[in-house]
Amino acid sequence: MSSCAIPSFTIRMEGASVAEFSWPPRSPLEHALVAGAYGVREVAPGIFLTEVRNFELIQVMARRGKGAELASATTARFGMAAPDVPKAVSASDVMLIWSGPDQFLVLSKGGKYTINTLSQAFSQSASLSDQSHARAWISVSGAKARTMLAKLSSIDLHPTAFPIGAAAATSIDHTSVNLWRGDDGPDGQAVFNLLLFATFAGSLWQTMLDAGAEYGVDIRHSEEFA
Amino acid sequence: MRIVCPFCGERELGEFSYLGDAKPVRPAAGAPEDDVFDYVYLRDNIAGAMSEHWYHAGGCRAWLKITRNTLTHEISSVEPAAGAGAAEVGA
Ligand SMILES: [Zn+2]
């Protein structure tokens, strides 16, 4: 989600006028996302496209020679190790997603693992970067999800090649994304998650709608941390 | 052409960007001007196996050192470039 300043002006009698800014988070898809049906409507939707809003996303990068320290700090903080291969692991309130050698993403519900709550734990071993408002999080599921994504991604997303918990740093439509497969949905279908750069989110969103139109798309947004 | 990134696995060429020859070594400070000129501008035009730097720009953003045959595009080795994965090796 990107932030947008809404200035509210307060005139102070005794001094100069002071502009006070509040920064309510807004989704980069706020205008592009129209909840409801898209594409063919004669059939049950083959694709469920959900934007998940209100999350914390912190990039953690190990400092030089500090891999072992980071590993123990991670286990101490989250009770699980960060993946050192392209995978995503999760607990009830947090996901650790591999994003490259010596680095991973900490994804949690808004207000949970903020950069302030993590900076102390990793101060000796890693550099942190707050990406919470720099990405849009899209979840793609449904019977035709993999078929639709196959039009955009060169990665093999077949269950044998991309099982639950698999993750990838890859490109879709020439744009870098983080992609991972979460737990299957209640309908038994695979759920693919994408983190998109906020400024590219509108473009990639439209690309996914175009790719999915022929299967029927059900569009939603949610604040539920999956 | 596909490249097997040591961190990500096999990926299409479009995810990578090419830097070039991995052989040139930066001359020491105070080296003769000719050495610096060679380092900056002069490259061998190799027909055969060549050591190259590639960047997995559309993936894990690691630098890679790749041995590629410029005649056939056959890649015989891919390894992290110096510094990639530095948290483990401390290099
Ligand atoms: Zn890679």
Side-chain angles (χ1 to χ4, degrees):
Chain A
M1 281 177 278
S2 57
S3 294
C4 181
I6 298 176
S8 59
F9 291 93
T10 311
I11 310 296
R12 290 187 182 164
M13 297 299 286
E14 61 273 80
S17 62
V18 177
E20 292 181 352
F21 291 91
S22 59
W23 298 84
R26 290 166 53 179
S27 162
L29 295 174
E30 187 175 82
H31 298 296
L33 188 152
V34 179
Y38 184 88
V40 299
R41 297 174 189 228
E42 301 83 61
V43 294
I47 291 162
F48 294 88
L49 213 49
T50 305
E51 187 206 2
V52 187
R53 295 176 178 172
N54 188 25
F55 57 85
E56 303 291 336
L57 182 70
I58 311 298
Q59 170 89 59
V60 179
M61 294 185 78
R63 301 225 180 99
R64 185 162 291 203
K66 296 287 187 180
E69 285 93 330
L70 175 58
S72 54
T74 305
T75 309
R77 194 71 187 82
F78 302 112
M80 59 185 176
D84 57 3
V85 292
K87 286 186 186 308
V89 295
S90 57
S92 60
D93 60 356
V94 67
M95 290 180 212
L96 307 180
I97 305 156
W98 183 92
S99 64
D102 308 330
Q103 53 178 284
F104 59 92
L105 297 161
V106 180
L107 177 59
S108 65
K109 192 167 176 61
K112 182 66 186 173
Y113 291 108
T114 65
I115 193 156
N116 289 334
T117 63
L118 294 181
S119 57
Q120 192 63 36
F122 296 114
S123 61
Q124 300 303 310
S125 56
S127 301
L128 307 189
S129 166
D130 191 349
Q131 302 296 318
S132 306
H133 298 169
R135 300 284 190 279
W137 176 7
I138 313 292
S139 135
V140 187
S141 66
K144 292 289 184 185
R146 183 158 64 86
T147 312
M148 183 275 275
L149 287 170
K151 296 184 187 182
L152 310 174
S153 171
S154 60
I155 288 193
D156 184 356
L157 297 176
H158 188 275
T160 56
F162 205 77
I164 290 170
T170 184
S171 292
I172 281 182
D173 209 22
H174 310 284
T175 308
S176 294
V177 301
N178 293 96
L179 166 68
W180 76 99
R181 189 174 155 195
D183 289 336
D184 288 348
D187 58 357
Q189 298 287 348
V191 180
F192 300 97
N193 293 279
L194 291 158
L195 287 172
L196 315 175
F197 292 135
T199 48
F200 288 84
S203 165
L204 288 173
W205 177 260
Q206 197 59 53
T207 302
M208 282 193 280
L209 289 184
D210 288 348
E214 64 173 302
Y215 313 116
V217 186
D218 178 285
I219 299 169
R220 308 165 186 201
H221 59 84
S222 162
E223 297 214 353
E224 207 171 300
F225 186 76
Chain B
M1 192 167 129
R2 297 171 77 83
I3 295 174
V4 182
C5 172
F7 303 109
C8 299
E10 187 179 356
R11 295 296 175 84
E12 57 156 327
L13 178 65
E15 288 194 1
F16 298 86
S17 52
Y18 179 70
L19 178 75
D21 198 339
K23 283 274 164 56
V25 177
R26 188 187 183 92
E33 194 176 317
D34 281 355
D35 292 1
V36 177
F37 184 86
D38 281 6
Y39 169 70
V40 175
Y41 295 109
L42 297 187
R43 294 291 178 271
D44 294 333
N45 187 14
I46 295 166
M50 180 175 176
S51 182
E52 303 172 329
H53 277 132
W54 289 75
Y55 181 54
H56 196 184
C60 67
R61 299 189 201 99
W63 280 98
L64 306 175
K65 196 172 166 186
I66 291 178
T67 307
R68 180 180 66 102
N69 188 313
T70 59
L71 299 174
T72 62
H73 292 312
E74 184 194 357
I75 290 172
S76 51
S77 83
V78 183
E79 58 189 74
E88 303 301 328
V89 297

Short mmCIF file of all heavy atoms in Angstrom, two decimals, chain A residues 84-139:
data_model
loop_
_atom_site.label_atom_id
_atom_site.label_comp_id
_atom_site.label_asym_id
_atom_site.label_seq_id
_atom_site.Cartn_x
_atom_site.Cartn_y
_atom_site.Cartn_z
N ASP A 84 16.60 -20.91 3.56
CA ASP A 84 17.80 -20.51 2.83
C ASP A 84 17.78 -21.04 1.40
O ASP A 84 18.77 -20.99 0.69
CB ASP A 84 19.08 -20.93 3.58
CG ASP A 84 19.13 -22.41 3.85
OD1 ASP A 84 18.19 -23.13 3.41
OD2 ASP A 84 20.08 -22.86 4.50
N VAL A 85 16.63 -21.57 1.01
CA VAL A 85 16.37 -21.95 -0.38
C VAL A 85 15.01 -21.33 -0.73
O VAL A 85 14.29 -20.89 0.17
CB VAL A 85 16.33 -23.49 -0.56
CG1 VAL A 85 17.70 -24.08 -0.35
CG2 VAL A 85 15.32 -24.12 0.40
N PRO A 86 14.66 -21.28 -2.03
CA PRO A 86 13.41 -20.59 -2.39
C PRO A 86 12.14 -21.27 -1.85
O PRO A 86 11.51 -22.09 -2.51
CB PRO A 86 13.43 -20.60 -3.93
CG PRO A 86 14.86 -20.75 -4.29
CD PRO A 86 15.43 -21.64 -3.22
N LYS A 87 11.81 -20.91 -0.63
CA LYS A 87 10.62 -21.43 0.04
C LYS A 87 10.02 -20.34 0.92
O LYS A 87 10.69 -19.37 1.25
CB LYS A 87 10.97 -22.63 0.92
CG LYS A 87 11.27 -23.92 0.17
CD LYS A 87 11.45 -25.05 1.16
CE LYS A 87 11.91 -26.34 0.48
NZ LYS A 87 11.10 -26.77 -0.65
N ALA A 88 8.77 -20.57 1.30
CA ALA A 88 8.12 -19.69 2.28
C ALA A 88 7.66 -20.56 3.43
O ALA A 88 7.11 -21.64 3.22
CB ALA A 88 6.92 -18.99 1.64
N VAL A 89 7.94 -20.12 4.66
CA VAL A 89 7.48 -20.86 5.84
C VAL A 89 6.55 -19.94 6.64
O VAL A 89 6.68 -18.72 6.59
CB VAL A 89 8.65 -21.33 6.73
CG1 VAL A 89 9.51 -22.35 5.99
CG2 VAL A 89 9.50 -20.16 7.19
N SER A 90 5.61 -20.55 7.34
CA SER A 90 4.67 -19.69 8.05
C SER A 90 4.32 -20.23 9.42
O SER A 90 4.36 -21.44 9.68
CB SER A 90 3.41 -19.48 7.21
OG SER A 90 2.83 -20.72 6.90
N ALA A 91 4.02 -19.29 10.31
CA ALA A 91 3.40 -19.57 11.60
C ALA A 91 2.04 -18.89 11.55
O ALA A 91 1.65 -18.36 10.50
CB ALA A 91 4.26 -19.02 12.72
N SER A 92 1.31 -18.88 12.66
CA SER A 92 -0.05 -18.36 12.61
C SER A 92 -0.08 -16.87 12.26
O SER A 92 -1.01 -16.40 11.62
CB SER A 92 -0.73 -18.60 13.95
OG SER A 92 -0.01 -17.93 14.97
N ASP A 93 0.95 -16.13 12.67
CA ASP A 93 0.87 -14.68 12.50
C ASP A 93 1.99 -14.08 11.65
O ASP A 93 2.15 -12.88 11.58
CB ASP A 93 0.86 -14.00 13.87
CG ASP A 93 2.13 -14.31 14.66
OD1 ASP A 93 2.97 -15.10 14.18
OD2 ASP A 93 2.29 -13.76 15.76
N VAL A 94 2.79 -14.94 11.00
CA VAL A 94 3.92 -14.41 10.22
C VAL A 94 4.33 -15.39 9.14
O VAL A 94 4.18 -16.61 9.29
CB VAL A 94 5.11 -14.09 11.16
CG1 VAL A 94 5.70 -15.35 11.76
CG2 VAL A 94 6.19 -13.28 10.44
N MET A 95 4.82 -14.85 8.03
CA MET A 95 5.43 -15.68 6.99
C MET A 95 6.85 -15.17 6.74
O MET A 95 7.08 -13.96 6.74
CB MET A 95 4.66 -15.55 5.67
CG MET A 95 3.31 -16.19 5.67
SD MET A 95 2.54 -15.95 4.05
CE MET A 95 0.83 -15.86 4.58
N LEU A 96 7.78 -16.10 6.56
CA LEU A 96 9.14 -15.76 6.17
C LEU A 96 9.34 -16.28 4.75
O LEU A 96 9.24 -17.48 4.51
CB LEU A 96 10.16 -16.40 7.13
CG LEU A 96 9.94 -16.11 8.63
CD1 LEU A 96 11.02 -16.82 9.46
CD2 LEU A 96 9.95 -14.61 8.91
N ILE A 97 9.61 -15.37 3.84
CA ILE A 97 9.64 -15.70 2.42
C ILE A 97 11.04 -15.45 1.88
O ILE A 97 11.54 -14.31 1.96
CB ILE A 97 8.61 -14.85 1.65
CG1 ILE A 97 7.22 -15.01 2.27
CG2 ILE A 97 8.59 -15.23 0.17
CD1 ILE A 97 6.30 -13.84 1.98
N TRP A 98 11.66 -16.48 1.35
CA TRP A 98 12.99 -16.34 0.74
C TRP A 98 12.92 -15.33 -0.38
O TRP A 98 11.98 -15.34 -1.19
CB TRP A 98 13.43 -17.71 0.20
CG TRP A 98 14.81 -17.75 -0.39
CD1 TRP A 98 15.96 -18.06 0.25
CD2 TRP A 98 15.17 -17.52 -1.77
NE1 TRP A 98 17.02 -18.03 -0.63
CE2 TRP A 98 16.56 -17.70 -1.88
CE3 TRP A 98 14.45 -17.17 -2.91
CZ2 TRP A 98 17.25 -17.56 -3.07
CZ3 TRP A 98 15.13 -17.02 -4.11
CH2 TRP A 98 16.52 -17.21 -4.18
N SER A 99 13.91 -14.43 -0.46
CA SER A 99 13.89 -13.46 -1.56
C SER A 99 15.24 -13.35 -2.25
O SER A 99 15.41 -12.52 -3.14
CB SER A 99 13.44 -12.09 -1.05
OG SER A 99 14.36 -11.58 -0.11
N GLY A 100 16.21 -14.17 -1.86
CA GLY A 100 17.53 -14.15 -2.48
C GLY A 100 18.54 -14.68 -1.50
O GLY A 100 18.21 -14.91 -0.34
N PRO A 101 19.80 -14.85 -1.96
CA PRO A 101 20.82 -15.33 -1.02
C PRO A 101 20.97 -14.34 0.14
O PRO A 101 21.04 -13.14 -0.09
CB PRO A 101 22.09 -15.40 -1.87
CG PRO A 101 21.81 -14.57 -3.09
CD PRO A 101 20.33 -14.63 -3.30
N ASP A 102 20.97 -14.85 1.35
CA ASP A 102 21.18 -14.05 2.56
C ASP A 102 20.04 -13.08 2.84
O ASP A 102 20.22 -12.11 3.58
CB ASP A 102 22.49 -13.23 2.49
CG ASP A 102 23.69 -14.07 2.16
OD1 ASP A 102 23.68 -15.25 2.54
OD2 ASP A 102 24.63 -13.55 1.52
N GLN A 103 18.87 -13.29 2.25
CA GLN A 103 17.80 -12.33 2.50
C GLN A 103 16.43 -12.99 2.48
O GLN A 103 16.22 -14.00 1.83
CB GLN A 103 17.85 -11.19 1.49
CG GLN A 103 17.87 -11.66 0.05
CD GLN A 103 17.87 -10.51 -0.92
OE1 GLN A 103 16.87 -9.88 -1.14
NE2 GLN A 103 19.02 -10.24 -1.51
N PHE A 104 15.53 -12.41 3.25
CA PHE A 104 14.14 -12.90 3.25
C PHE A 104 13.21 -11.76 3.63
O PHE A 104 13.64 -10.70 4.10
CB PHE A 104 13.99 -14.10 4.19
CG PHE A 104 14.35 -13.82 5.63
CD1 PHE A 104 13.38 -13.41 6.55
CD2 PHE A 104 15.65 -13.98 6.08
CE1 PHE A 104 13.71 -13.16 7.87
CE2 PHE A 104 16.00 -13.73 7.39
CZ PHE A 104 15.03 -13.32 8.30
N LEU A 105 11.93 -12.01 3.40
CA LEU A 105 10.89 -11.04 3.73
C LEU A 105 10.11 -11.53 4.94
O LEU A 105 9.85 -12.73 5.07
CB LEU A 105 9.93 -10.90 2.55
CG LEU A 105 10.53 -10.36 1.25
CD1 LEU A 105 9.62 -10.69 0.06
CD2 LEU A 105 10.73 -8.85 1.36
N VAL A 106 9.77 -10.61 5.83
CA VAL A 106 8.91 -10.93 6.98
C VAL A 106 7.56 -10.29 6.69
O VAL A 106 7.44 -9.07 6.62
CB VAL A 106 9.49 -10.36 8.29
CG1 VAL A 106 8.56 -10.70 9.46
CG2 VAL A 106 10.89 -10.90 8.54
N LEU A 107 6.55 -11.14 6.50
CA LEU A 107 5.21 -10.66 6.15
C LEU A 107 4.26 -10.96 7.30
O LEU A 107 4.17 -12.11 7.74
CB LEU A 107 4.76 -11.35 4.86
CG LEU A 107 3.35 -11.05 4.34
CD1 LEU A 107 3.18 -9.56 4.05
CD2 LEU A 107 3.08 -11.86 3.07
N SER A 108 3.60 -9.93 7.79
CA SER A 108 2.67 -10.11 8.89
C SER A 108 1.52 -9.12 8.76
O SER A 108 1.57 -8.21 7.91
CB SER A 108 3.37 -9.94 10.24
OG SER A 108 3.82 -8.61 10.39
N LYS A 109 0.52 -9.29 9.60
CA LYS A 109 -0.63 -8.39 9.57
C LYS A 109 -0.21 -6.99 10.00
O LYS A 109 0.75 -6.83 10.77
CB LYS A 109 -1.72 -8.94 10.50
CG LYS A 109 -3.07 -8.27 10.33
CD LYS A 109 -4.16 -9.05 11.04
CE LYS A 109 -5.50 -8.33 10.95
NZ LYS A 109 -5.97 -8.16 9.55
N GLY A 110 -0.92 -5.98 9.48
CA GLY A 110 -0.59 -4.60 9.80
C GLY A 110 -0.44 -4.39 11.30
O GLY A 110 -1.29 -4.80 12.07
N GLY A 111 0.69 -3.79 11.72
CA GLY A 111 0.92 -3.51 13.13
C GLY A 111 1.60 -4.63 13.89
O GLY A 111 2.01 -4.44 15.03
N LYS A 112 1.77 -5.81 13.26
CA LYS A 112 2.34 -6.94 13.99
C LYS A 112 3.87 -6.86 14.07
O LYS A 112 4.41 -6.43 15.08
CB LYS A 112 1.87 -8.26 13.32
CG LYS A 112 2.36 -9.51 14.02
CD LYS A 112 1.76 -9.66 15.40
CE LYS A 112 2.38 -10.84 16.13
NZ LYS A 112 1.93 -10.92 17.52
N TYR A 113 4.54 -7.27 13.00
CA TYR A 113 6.00 -7.19 13.01
C TYR A 113 6.44 -5.98 12.19
O TYR A 113 6.83 -6.09 11.04
CB TYR A 113 6.61 -8.48 12.47
CG TYR A 113 6.41 -9.65 13.40
CD1 TYR A 113 5.52 -10.67 13.08
CD2 TYR A 113 7.09 -9.73 14.60
CE1 TYR A 113 5.31 -11.75 13.94
CE2 TYR A 113 6.90 -10.79 15.47
CZ TYR A 113 6.01 -11.79 15.14
OH TYR A 113 5.81 -12.84 15.98
N THR A 114 6.37 -4.83 12.81
CA THR A 114 6.79 -3.59 12.15
C THR A 114 8.31 -3.50 12.18
O THR A 114 8.97 -4.24 12.91
CB THR A 114 6.20 -2.36 12.86
OG1 THR A 114 6.78 -2.31 14.17
CG2 THR A 114 4.68 -2.46 12.98
N ILE A 115 8.85 -2.57 11.42
CA ILE A 115 10.30 -2.42 11.41
C ILE A 115 10.80 -2.04 12.80
O ILE A 115 11.90 -2.44 13.21
CB ILE A 115 10.75 -1.42 10.31
CG1 ILE A 115 12.26 -1.52 10.09
CG2 ILE A 115 10.32 0.01 10.66
CD1 ILE A 115 12.74 -1.08 8.76
N ASN A 116 10.00 -1.30 13.55
CA ASN A 116 10.42 -0.92 14.90
C ASN A 116 10.49 -2.11 15.83
O ASN A 116 11.38 -2.20 16.67
CB ASN A 116 9.46 0.14 15.46
CG ASN A 116 9.65 1.47 14.77
OD1 ASN A 116 10.73 1.76 14.26
ND2 ASN A 116 8.60 2.26 14.72
N THR A 117 9.54 -3.05 15.69
CA THR A 117 9.57 -4.20 16.59
C THR A 117 10.69 -5.17 16.22
O THR A 117 11.12 -5.97 17.03
CB THR A 117 8.23 -4.98 16.58
OG1 THR A 117 8.01 -5.49 15.27
CG2 THR A 117 7.06 -4.10 16.97
N LEU A 118 11.17 -5.11 14.95
CA LEU A 118 12.20 -6.07 14.52
C LEU A 118 13.62 -5.51 14.59
O LEU A 118 14.58 -6.27 14.65
CB LEU A 118 11.93 -6.53 13.08
CG LEU A 118 10.66 -7.36 12.87
CD1 LEU A 118 10.55 -7.77 11.40
CD2 LEU A 118 10.65 -8.60 13.76
N SER A 119 13.75 -4.19 14.59
CA SER A 119 15.09 -3.62 14.43
C SER A 119 16.02 -4.03 15.56
O SER A 119 17.21 -4.26 15.34
CB SER A 119 15.01 -2.10 14.29
OG SER A 119 14.37 -1.56 15.42
N GLN A 120 15.47 -4.13 16.78
CA GLN A 120 16.31 -4.53 17.91
C GLN A 120 16.83 -5.96 17.75
O GLN A 120 18.02 -6.23 17.93
CB GLN A 120 15.51 -4.39 19.21
CG GLN A 120 16.37 -4.49 20.46
CD GLN A 120 17.39 -3.36 20.55
OE1 GLN A 120 17.10 -2.23 20.15
NE2 GLN A 120 18.58 -3.66 21.05
N ALA A 121 15.92 -6.86 17.35
CA ALA A 121 16.28 -8.28 17.26
C ALA A 121 17.38 -8.53 16.23
O ALA A 121 18.17 -9.46 16.37
CB ALA A 121 15.04 -9.11 16.91
N PHE A 122 17.41 -7.70 15.17
CA PHE A 122 18.36 -7.95 14.09
C PHE A 122 19.47 -6.91 14.01
O PHE A 122 20.20 -6.86 13.03
CB PHE A 122 17.61 -8.03 12.76
CG PHE A 122 16.65 -9.18 12.68
CD1 PHE A 122 15.29 -8.97 12.60
CD2 PHE A 122 17.12 -10.49 12.71
CE1 PHE A 122 14.40 -10.03 12.55
CE2 PHE A 122 16.25 -11.57 12.65
CZ PHE A 122 14.89 -11.33 12.57
N SER A 123 19.61 -6.11 15.05
CA SER A 123 20.54 -4.98 14.97
C SER A 123 21.99 -5.45 14.77
O SER A 123 22.80 -4.72 14.22
CB SER A 123 20.42 -4.11 16.22
OG SER A 123 20.75 -4.87 17.36
N GLN A 124 22.31 -6.66 15.23
CA GLN A 124 23.70 -7.13 15.13
C GLN A 124 23.97 -7.94 13.88
O GLN A 124 25.12 -8.25 13.57
CB GLN A 124 24.05 -8.00 16.35
CG GLN A 124 23.94 -7.28 17.68
CD GLN A 124 24.79 -6.02 17.73
OE1 GLN A 124 25.97 -6.04 17.43
NE2 GLN A 124 24.17 -4.90 18.12
N SER A 125 22.92 -8.34 13.16
CA SER A 125 23.15 -9.34 12.11
C SER A 125 22.62 -8.97 10.74
O SER A 125 23.04 -9.56 9.74
CB SER A 125 22.51 -10.67 12.53
OG SER A 125 21.13 -10.50 12.80
N ALA A 126 21.70 -8.01 10.65
CA ALA A 126 21.06 -7.78 9.35
C ALA A 126 20.70 -6.32 9.17
O ALA A 126 20.61 -5.55 10.12
CB ALA A 126 19.80 -8.64 9.23
N SER A 127 20.49 -5.96 7.90
CA SER A 127 19.95 -4.65 7.56
C SER A 127 18.47 -4.85 7.20
O SER A 127 18.14 -5.77 6.48
CB SER A 127 20.69 -4.05 6.37
OG SER A 127 22.06 -3.92 6.69
N LEU A 128 17.63 -3.97 7.72
CA LEU A 128 16.19 -4.08 7.48
C LEU A 128 15.72 -2.94 6.60
O LEU A 128 16.26 -1.83 6.65
CB LEU A 128 15.41 -4.03 8.80
CG LEU A 128 15.81 -4.99 9.91
CD1 LEU A 128 14.78 -4.94 11.04
CD2 LEU A 128 15.96 -6.40 9.42
N SER A 129 14.70 -3.24 5.82
CA SER A 129 14.11 -2.21 4.98
C SER A 129 12.60 -2.41 4.96
O SER A 129 12.11 -3.51 4.68
CB SER A 129 14.71 -2.33 3.57
OG SER A 129 13.96 -1.58 2.65
N ASP A 130 11.86 -1.36 5.31
CA ASP A 130 10.40 -1.47 5.40
C ASP A 130 9.78 -1.36 4.00
O ASP A 130 9.91 -0.32 3.35
CB ASP A 130 9.87 -0.35 6.30
CG ASP A 130 8.41 -0.54 6.66
OD1 ASP A 130 7.74 -1.40 6.05
OD2 ASP A 130 7.93 0.17 7.56
N GLN A 131 9.16 -2.43 3.55
CA GLN A 131 8.54 -2.45 2.22
C GLN A 131 7.01 -2.49 2.32
O GLN A 131 6.33 -2.72 1.31
CB GLN A 131 9.04 -3.68 1.44
CG GLN A 131 10.54 -3.73 1.25
CD GLN A 131 11.06 -2.58 0.41
OE1 GLN A 131 10.45 -2.22 -0.59
NE2 GLN A 131 12.16 -1.98 0.82
N SER A 132 6.47 -2.25 3.53
CA SER A 132 5.03 -2.44 3.76
C SER A 132 4.18 -1.66 2.76
O SER A 132 3.17 -2.16 2.28
CB SER A 132 4.66 -2.02 5.17
OG SER A 132 5.46 -2.68 6.11
N HIS A 133 4.57 -0.44 2.47
CA HIS A 133 3.75 0.39 1.59
C HIS A 133 4.34 0.45 0.18
O HIS A 133 3.92 1.25 -0.64
CB HIS A 133 3.61 1.80 2.17
CG HIS A 133 2.91 1.80 3.48
ND1 HIS A 133 2.84 2.89 4.31
CD2 HIS A 133 2.22 0.81 4.11
CE1 HIS A 133 2.15 2.58 5.40
NE2 HIS A 133 1.78 1.32 5.30
N ALA A 134 5.31 -0.42 -0.09
CA ALA A 134 5.98 -0.41 -1.39
C ALA A 134 5.55 -1.59 -2.26
O ALA A 134 5.99 -1.72 -3.39
CB ALA A 134 7.50 -0.45 -1.21
N ARG A 135 4.70 -2.45 -1.71
CA ARG A 135 4.25 -3.62 -2.46
C ARG A 135 2.74 -3.75 -2.37
O ARG A 135 2.13 -3.34 -1.39
CB ARG A 135 4.87 -4.91 -1.89
CG ARG A 135 6.37 -4.98 -1.89
CD ARG A 135 6.92 -5.25 -3.29
NE ARG A 135 8.35 -5.54 -3.24
CZ ARG A 135 9.30 -4.62 -3.16
NH1 ARG A 135 8.99 -3.34 -3.11
NH2 ARG A 135 10.57 -4.96 -3.13
N ALA A 136 2.18 -4.38 -3.39
CA ALA A 136 0.79 -4.84 -3.32
C ALA A 136 0.84 -6.36 -3.26
O ALA A 136 1.68 -6.99 -3.90
CB ALA A 136 0.01 -4.38 -4.54
N TRP A 137 -0.06 -6.92 -2.45
CA TRP A 137 -0.09 -8.38 -2.25
C TRP A 137 -1.35 -8.92 -2.92
O TRP A 137 -2.47 -8.51 -2.56
CB TRP A 137 -0.09 -8.66 -0.75
CG TRP A 137 -0.21 -10.10 -0.35
CD1 TRP A 137 -0.21 -11.20 -1.17
CD2 TRP A 137 -0.37 -10.62 0.98
NE1 TRP A 137 -0.33 -12.35 -0.45
CE2 TRP A 137 -0.44 -12.03 0.87
CE3 TRP A 137 -0.46 -10.01 2.24
CZ2 TRP A 137 -0.59 -12.84 1.99
CZ3 TRP A 137 -0.61 -10.83 3.34
CH2 TRP A 137 -0.68 -12.22 3.24
N ILE A 138 -1.16 -9.79 -3.89
CA ILE A 138 -2.28 -10.37 -4.62
C ILE A 138 -2.28 -11.87 -4.41
O ILE A 138 -1.24 -12.52 -4.53
CB ILE A 138 -2.15 -10.13 -6.15
CG1 ILE A 138 -1.81 -8.68 -6.45
CG2 ILE A 138 -3.42 -10.57 -6.88
CD1 ILE A 138 -2.88 -7.71 -6.15
N SER A 139 -3.42 -12.41 -4.09
CA SER A 139 -3.57 -13.86 -4.00
C SER A 139 -4.40 -14.34 -5.19
O SER A 139 -5.42 -13.73 -5.53
CB SER A 139 -4.19 -14.20 -2.64
OG SER A 139 -5.21 -15.14 -2.77
#
